[in-house]
Amino acid sequence: MSPILVKTLQLLLSLSILIVLHELGHFIPAKLFKTRVEKFFLFFDVKFALFKKKIGETVYGIGWLPLGGYVKISGMIDESMDKDQMAGPPQPWEFRSKPAWQRLIIMVGGVTVNLILGFVIYMMILFVWGQEQLKPEDMPHGFAVVEEMEQFGFKNGDKILSVNDKELDNALRFNSHLLVRDVSNVKVEHIDGTQETLRLPDTIGDYIFKKGLMPAFQLRTNPILDTIIADSQAEKAGLLKGDKVLAVDGKNVTFFDEIGSHLKDKPNYDTQLVVERGNQIDTITATTDEDGKLGIYSLQGGMVTPKEKKFGFGEAVWKGFAYGYWTLHDYVVQFKYIFTKEGATQVGGFGTIAKMFPSVWDWQSFWMSTALISIILAFMNILPIPALDGGHVMFLLYEMITGRKPSDKFLEYAQMIGFFLLIALLLFANGNDIYRWLSER
């Protein structure tokens, strides 16, 4: 099966699960408070539906436009913009006739379900599959460090012993810690065996992001080529996937990062690569591009073996809760980068989300991605933007605090503005995906 098809199917299944459960978060409290729910739809049924069936007072269905889903609650100003219903006198079964606290519970129900679901999935993943861990002793060759981080005391071959005096379960998360957490000190072991505690400025995350250094630390790998970028200088020189680079300009190579370090700041430079291909050793001349690069990548993780740690149910629940908390924390913190020039270019749509899933069906990876998307949806939906749940919550809180309810006309205009803002964001995000796809071709 095509990798693209596999990713697409996983994305559709994940979104279907999350959307249905999110809408149930609105549906259930609405029914408990005896509020009429006219429609419950997975995906949008613009003009027509793929399937629909009326059960009781509610029409259940599946739309054809997979951009979300909805429940249509009587007497509520929502994306349906049903002005005729709102023009009539309030009915006891309508949303607008219910006390503000009941309306608030109905509106936060979807976000609450998504948040709880993300935490529960992480708990079950840790219970069923355990957690992949990578400790310093599992990394005999340490990290390859980008040159810009050397000013803070880091060196190639460093092992990360602790961050803020705490050992990491997985050293690969060190990059995200630097970006979105307050890292003040890092204890490292250099390649010569000496240990040192490095002090970092509180602006280290902003520095890494604005410099485009993600990831600033990568596992040191064998100098075996895994990817040759199409139309790159490496491809033109005849380098192939599987080639092992033994030397560059007469200097022996042990790790892949040594190739980049040697060629850095050498644009349009003719370099001699001694390459082992099968049972033959050849010398290949390649010319770097204007950035001093050849367009080659190695196979990540080839020199380390992560360990799987299993958890009992109780420990999995606690660890899963902590994992969910920090996932939410990190996403909220990194959200600030979206409002920078560099961050705006990295906003992605459905293509970016699909890339989160593996190219072959793997249930552990599927549920990990689904949990992350669920937490992201919870956060995004609670933002105080009209047309999102958070917009409705914002107006309800205003009503509860001031005792004054915004007029229906005001809510209609707010809903319309919010709708157009969301459409613009959707177009921008997916436009970024298309632009990146075209740039890579």
Side-chain angles (χ1 to χ4, degrees):
M1 187 180 293
S2 165
I4 295 177
L5 180 59
V6 172
K7 288 177 178 286
T8 301
L9 290 175
Q10 290 180 93
L11 175 62
L12 287 174
L13 177 59
S14 178
L15 290 180
S16 298
I17 293 170
L18 297 179
I19 291 168
V20 168
L21 292 177
H22 175 94
E23 300 306 334
L24 275 174
H26 297 305
F27 179 86
I28 292 173
K31 300 297 284 186
L32 289 175
F33 296 136
K34 302 186 185 308
T35 310
R36 180 176 294 174
V37 179
E38 299 175 11
K39 286 186 175 183
F40 187 119
F41 263 75
L42 169 64
F43 305 148
F44 292 111
D45 56 326
V46 181
K47 300 298 184 182
F48 69 93
L50 298 178
F51 165 82
K52 63 180 179 179
K53 181 178 179 60
K54 188 171 184 179
I55 302 176
E57 61 189 15
T58 305
V59 176
Y60 300 87
I62 301 175
W64 63 270
L65 187 61
L67 298 181
Y70 70 97
V71 288
K72 187 179 187 313
I73 301 175
S74 296
M76 175 180 172
I77 297 174
D78 57 13
E79 59 274 1
S80 68
M81 300 302 289
D82 188 350
K83 298 181 180 180
D84 293 336
Q85 183 184 77
M86 299 302 296
Q91 301 299 321
W93 61 79
E94 290 185 333
F95 180 82
R96 56 180 165 166
S97 300
K98 303 301 178 181
W101 67 270
Q102 292 186 2
R103 285 180 278 140
L104 181 62
I105 291 175
I106 292 172
M107 291 317 304
V108 300
V111 168
T112 303
V113 167
N114 277 139
L115 197 58
I116 293 174
L117 178 63
F119 278 59
V120 170
I121 291 175
Y122 282 134
M123 294 173 187
M124 296 311 298
I125 288 173
L126 294 182
F127 178 65
V128 175
W129 287 286
Q131 184 181 43
E132 188 176 85
Q133 297 192 341
L134 190 64
K135 299 294 184 71
E137 59 268 23
D138 303 320
M139 303 173 57
H141 306 293
F143 280 113
V145 182
V146 296
E147 185 179 19
E148 289 83 353
M149 296 302 291
E150 293 177 359
Q151 62 181 301
F152 302 108
F154 295 104
K155 302 175 183 179
N156 278 327
D158 279 352
K159 299 178 184 178
I160 308 301
L161 302 181
S162 68
V163 177
N164 291 344
D165 303 317
K166 293 183 179 179
E167 183 180 353
L168 298 179
D169 288 334
N170 193 325
L172 295 180
R173 297 200 184 98
F174 181 52
N175 284 294
S176 64
H177 276 59
L178 289 174
L179 197 63
V180 297
R181 301 191 190 178
D182 296 324
V183 176
S184 59
N185 68 81
V186 180
K187 187 176 182 180
V188 300
E189 180 179 308
H190 298 305
I191 198 169
D192 60 4
T194 61
Q195 296 184 2
E196 182 180 5
T197 298
L198 307 177
R199 304 292 174 180
L200 302 180
D202 55 10
T203 57
I204 188 67
D206 292 336
Y207 174 80
I208 290 173
F209 184 81
K210 290 178 180 178
K211 285 285 187 178
L213 304 180
M214 297 86 68
F217 295 78
Q218 297 189 68
L219 291 174
R220 301 199 90 176
T221 58
N222 289 314
I224 299 175
L225 307 187
D226 180 65
T227 301
I228 309 294
I229 296 177
D231 298 322
S232 65
Q233 296 297 94
E235 185 179 69
K236 294 174 182 177
L239 290 169
L240 301 175
K241 177 178 180 178
D243 285 350
K244 182 176 182 179
V245 180
L246 303 178
V248 180
D249 294 332
K251 296 181 179 180
N252 291 337
V253 170
T254 303
F255 305 107
F256 180 80
D257 60 271
E258 294 172 336
I259 303 172
S261 297
H262 176 74
L263 298 177
K264 187 175 178 62
D265 300 324
K266 293 181 180 179
N268 306 311
Y269 171 74
D270 291 334
T271 181
Q272 303 292 318
L273 304 175
V274 178
V275 173
E276 180 181 326
R277 182 179 297 169
N279 296 321
Q280 293 185 328
I281 295 179
D282 298 317
T283 298
I284 296 177
T285 300
T287 304
T288 61
D289 61 19
E290 57 187 15
D291 296 320
K293 297 180 180 179
L294 295 174
I296 54 178
Y297 292 95
S298 68
L299 181 63
Q300 289 297 307
M303 301 178 76
V304 299
T305 304
K307 297 177 180 177
E308 292 288 339
K309 183 175 180 178
K310 298 292 185 179
F311 300 100
F313 183 75
E315 192 177 9
V317 169
W318 167 244
K319 287 281 188 179
F321 179 84
Y323 196 100
Y325 168 80
W326 284 111
T327 298
L328 176 61
H329 170 278
D330 293 350
Y331 185 79
V332 172
V333 172
Q334 74 176 17
F335 194 72
K336 66 181 180 180
Y337 294 121
I338 291 179
F339 301 101
T340 65
K341 180 180 178 181
E342 297 85 357
T345 61
Q346 296 183 27
V347 173
F350 291 106
T352 298
I353 299 174
K355 287 182 179 179
M356 295 170 56
F357 296 94
S359 56
V360 294
W361 201 286
D362 178 82
W363 282 112
Q364 183 178 2
S365 297
F366 169 82
W367 288 116
M368 282 293 290
S369 297
T370 298
L372 175 58
I373 296 171
S374 189
I375 288 176
I376 291 174
L377 286 177
F379 172 69
M380 295 298 293
N381 257 297
I382 205 61
L383 291 176
I385 300 174
L388 291 178
D389 294 344
H392 292 285
V393 170
M394 176 177 62
F395 294 130
L396 279 167
L397 290 175
Y398 169 82
E399 178 185 346
M400 295 172 74
I401 293 171
T402 66
R404 297 192 301 270
K405 183 179 180 180
S407 69
D408 288 347
K409 184 62 66 176
F410 174 82
L411 292 177
E412 287 176 9
Y413 283 131
Q415 187 77 13
M416 192 177 301
I417 292 171
F419 176 77
F420 284 117
L421 283 174
L422 293 179
I423 290 296
L425 178 60
L426 187 67
L427 292 174
F428 176 75
N430 286 282
N432 273 349
D433 282 347
I434 294 172
Y435 175 77
R436 283 191 288 266
W437 178 72
L438 293 174
S439 298
E440 293 171 358
R441 294 182 67 84

